[in-house]
Amino acid sequence: MSHSRLPTRQSAEIRQAEMVQAVLHLAARQEPASITTTEIAKLVGLSQGAVFRHFPNKQAIWLSVAQWLTANLLPLVQTAAQSSPNPLTSLATIYYTHLQFVQENPGVPRFIFHELQQPNDSPVKQEVASMLQTYSGILIGVLQQAKASQQALPNLDERSAATLFIGSIQGLVMQAMLQGSMATLEPMSLGVWDLYLTAIRQHA
């Protein structure tokens, strides 16, 4: 009996995943606040009524998008953090891995900025904030390793350095959004990374 339900469940999960991707696709070219369930339905080939069979409301779709982000970005960051015995090399890998993720998913930064601007403390905003907090924790760990191996300044404030790291990526993304193309991220990122590294590195 349970096996007969399995294809339906899989089909529902596939539809939900398609709707998450539809939101990110739409967010890449318009304000997330303006995205309608009608647009989402059209993009995945469903009726608007069918959308609400998979999600109770629009907020639930947004929460799934935030959960997708956590499930896809954080493992990349964690893997990059453990990619080298040299902590500064690992930091560089995190930096460029994150930028590549944004280039491949241009709707993501628009979605994040939109949610963090919301005045209410919604489940979606909490999910995004929690993801950024975990990300910061991973960075702090790598920065502590850099201090322990005397590669970073002995008096470095790891929490501030982690905030600056994430902030530098957000700043680059905002510049790219202003220029209308995530392709501009790469040339701008090199100088920003050099500045960051100069600021935290222990100098001989």
Side-chain angles (χ1 to χ4, degrees):
M1 292 285 284
S2 62
H3 290 295
S4 64
R5 292 197 197 100
L6 197 57
T8 307
R9 191 182 307 128
Q10 286 176 333
S11 174
E13 288 173 0
I14 290 167
R15 282 301 192 191
Q16 288 167 353
E18 286 174 348
M19 281 185 263
V20 164
Q21 289 305 309
V23 171
L24 290 171
H25 178 78
L26 291 164
R29 58 190 192 198
Q30 68 190 74
E31 276 301 304
S34 71
I35 297 171
T36 64
T37 51
T38 304
E39 289 174 304
I40 297 167
K42 186 178 177 183
L43 209 55
V44 297
L46 291 175
S47 68
Q48 193 173 1
V51 169
F52 293 112
R53 284 202 293 274
H54 294 288
F55 292 102
N57 51 44
K58 190 175 172 182
Q59 186 77 354
I61 303 174
W62 259 233
L63 181 57
S64 275
V65 175
Q67 290 167 341
W68 177 91
L69 177 58
T70 298
N72 284 271
L73 179 57
L74 285 184
L76 290 176
V77 172
Q78 188 66 67
T79 300
Q82 300 165 343
S83 62
S84 170
N86 183 323
L88 294 184
T89 301
S90 293
L91 269 183
T93 304
I94 296 171
Y95 180 80
Y96 288 108
T97 296
H98 189 160
L99 290 174
Q100 184 180 356
F101 180 82
V102 169
Q103 285 180 301
E104 292 170 358
N105 301 278
V108 163
R110 278 183 180 272
F111 178 83
I112 291 176
F113 290 145
H114 172 261
E115 286 310 316
L116 293 180
Q117 287 173 54
Q118 299 310 303
N120 60 324
D121 200 21
S122 70
V124 184
K125 187 175 180 180
Q126 287 173 8
E127 177 72 26
V128 172
S130 174
M131 185 272 293
L132 289 172
Q133 189 175 9
T134 303
Y135 189 156
S136 183
I138 294 168
L139 290 172
I140 288 168
V142 178
L143 288 160
Q144 286 171 340
Q145 291 169 14
K147 276 174 75 171
S149 59
Q150 298 184 326
Q151 290 182 292
L153 294 168
N155 61 343
L156 181 71
D157 180 342
E158 299 99 327
R159 192 164 297 279
S160 295
T163 300
L164 182 60
F165 183 101
I166 295 172
S168 67
I169 291 174
Q170 290 171 334
L172 282 166
V173 168
M174 288 182 78
Q175 289 293 319
M177 285 166 69
L178 282 169
Q179 294 182 36
S181 172
M182 289 298 163
T184 61
L185 275 175
E186 202 166 334
M188 292 191 297
S189 66
L190 299 170
V192 172
W193 176 250
D194 284 344
L195 274 173
Y196 181 83
L197 206 55
T198 301
I200 69 162
R201 193 163 43 193
Q202 169 81 293
H203 301 285

